Amino acid sequence: MGRSIVFILIFILMASALAIRPVAADNSPQNVFNIEMMIQVDASGMAHFTVYAVLKDPYYRAYFSRIAANNTTRARDEFKDFVRQLVYTNLKDDFNNKLAVQGLNSTIYLPAGGPVSLLKNWSAVVSFDMTNFLVGSKRTLRCPVYGPLNFVFRGHVFSYRWSKLTLILPTEYNIENLAPAPNELADHVAVWKGGDFIPLIQLTSGEVSVMKFLNETHKTIVLSYNPNQGYLQFTANFSGANASDTVKTLLLDAFRGTMHPVSMSGRIEGDQLIIVGVTHPQVKYSESLTEKQWEVMVRLPGSFNEITVKGGKYKLVSPTLVLIRVTKRRTTPYLYGALTITFVSALVVFLVKGRRKKEKGSREGVDVDADSISPEDNEGGE
């Protein structure tokens, strides 16, 4: 009797365990929808999902078509619920489960009409926003939900198979790692074809990338001031490390903020980043009889290993402040002209003074003769 009771209890426990066990796992991919997914992530880590799903299972296509033949509204409503449960709910639940393992959670934001919008030919688009798709700080971001995705259907767990995944990453960050490697990658847009996963994503902020780049490069700059045109041309070269587009953009912004160029461009050549520009600097001008002199103040966006000045001399007021001195001697015709003018001026002054002395002497001689004539001589003359 006791053995019978124990057997019954064991049977009940086994039956209970079977009743509450999770749905069976299956390594094969889901074959219900053809899915294309696009995920656009902003600098806060929030992701906007757009999932295009086309029903391809022949049984369900025939099923919904039979309903639509008698009641289109019912068919559309049932298909909408079908897409919501399989495409949206599976995706949402999988993300939340992965986040919960790491002690994180997310908030889902849905459009006003819900996550599913129906299209033609038993297709639909699923859209929603999810926080914490990328987590971290202003310096680094990572994806905590990477890995295979599950697709629960009719009591089985399939892989969440998609034909194409497009990932648009924030341009404020530099891509440190994407795994597996995408089939296409350009301008922070990565594309994978044929998979069932969310890729591993690691990003680094542009500021961190720039500092790392600057620490790994040899930095030189060539400065040349044209006194006739009043502009300064500069060519900066950063060599020894590969620059990303983000690094180039941020360095160009740094030059704009300090040197205020009227024109500037940057290009990447192998392990070199070259920035060329023209600016109108602050200039102090002075001249003497023999030369002209320009003192040019140039503020740099950072310190450089080498500074070269063409057509002048320079000194560093500080690691980022350069004082350039450009000197030009007067031309020979100018000196001759200046000497001639000086000689003529002196000659004119000398002649004028001599003439004045002569006129004064003439006037003094006439007065002496008049005094020497006596009245008797005048009378005799008459």
Side-chain angles (χ1 to χ4, degrees), residues 98-109:
K98 287 182 170 65
L99 287 171
V101 171
Q102 301 189 44
L104 301 171
N105 57 56
S106 67
T107 302
I108 304 292
Y109 296 93

Side-chain angles (χ1 to χ4, degrees), residues 167-363:
L167 179 65
I168 305 173
L169 296 169
T171 56
E172 296 90 340
Y173 285 80
N174 194 45
I175 299 173
E176 289 294 322
N177 190 19
L178 291 176
N183 299 100
E184 302 173 18
L185 177 61
D187 299 328
H188 281 64
V189 179
V191 177
W192 290 263
K193 296 179 180 179
D196 62 355
F197 56 84
I198 294 296
L200 184 148
I201 306 167
Q202 292 178 332
L203 308 179
T204 305
S205 71
E207 293 179 0
V208 173
S209 299
V210 168
M211 294 306 299
K212 181 180 177 182
F213 174 79
L214 293 176
N215 290 335
E216 295 176 352
T217 55
H218 184 74
K219 300 167 285 295
T220 65
I221 190 167
V222 178
L223 305 171
S224 177
Y225 179 69
N226 187 326
N228 296 324
Q229 302 294 329
Y231 65 79
L232 176 85
Q233 182 174 348
F234 61 89
T235 301
N237 187 296
F238 304 84
S239 59
N242 294 323
S244 65
D245 290 334
T246 301
V247 168
K248 183 181 77 170
T249 299
L250 290 176
L251 284 179
L252 286 172
D253 289 342
F255 275 90
R256 289 190 187 96
T258 53
M259 301 187 72
H260 309 292
V262 294
S263 66
M264 184 175 59
S265 63
R267 67 182 186 274
I268 299 172
E269 296 180 356
D271 66 346
Q272 295 187 80
L273 170 61
I274 302 170
I275 297 177
V276 178
V278 174
T279 184
H280 290 291
Q282 294 182 353
V283 180
K284 180 181 178 182
Y285 174 75
S286 61
E287 62 179 51
S288 66
L289 187 62
T290 59
E291 66 181 20
K292 300 178 181 179
Q293 183 172 279
W294 294 262
E295 287 189 352
V296 185
M297 189 71 72
V298 182
R299 189 172 296 279
L300 304 175
S303 60
F304 286 81
N305 301 110
E306 297 179 24
I307 298 175
T308 302
V309 174
K310 292 184 176 181
K313 299 179 179 180
Y314 79 95
K315 69 175 181 179
L316 282 178
V317 180
S318 73
T320 60
L321 190 60
V322 183
L323 179 63
I324 299 173
R325 182 175 289 107
V326 178
T327 303
K328 285 194 173 184
R329 297 190 64 81
R330 296 286 194 179
T331 58
T332 302
Y334 177 88
L335 292 175
Y336 285 162
L339 292 173
T340 301
I341 292 173
T342 303
F343 175 76
V344 170
S345 299
L347 181 61
V348 169
V349 172
F350 176 77
L351 293 174
V352 169
K353 288 184 177 180
R355 183 177 178 182
R356 288 178 178 174
K357 288 182 179 180
K358 184 176 180 182
E359 290 178 351
K360 182 178 180 181
S362 299
R363 287 195 299 271

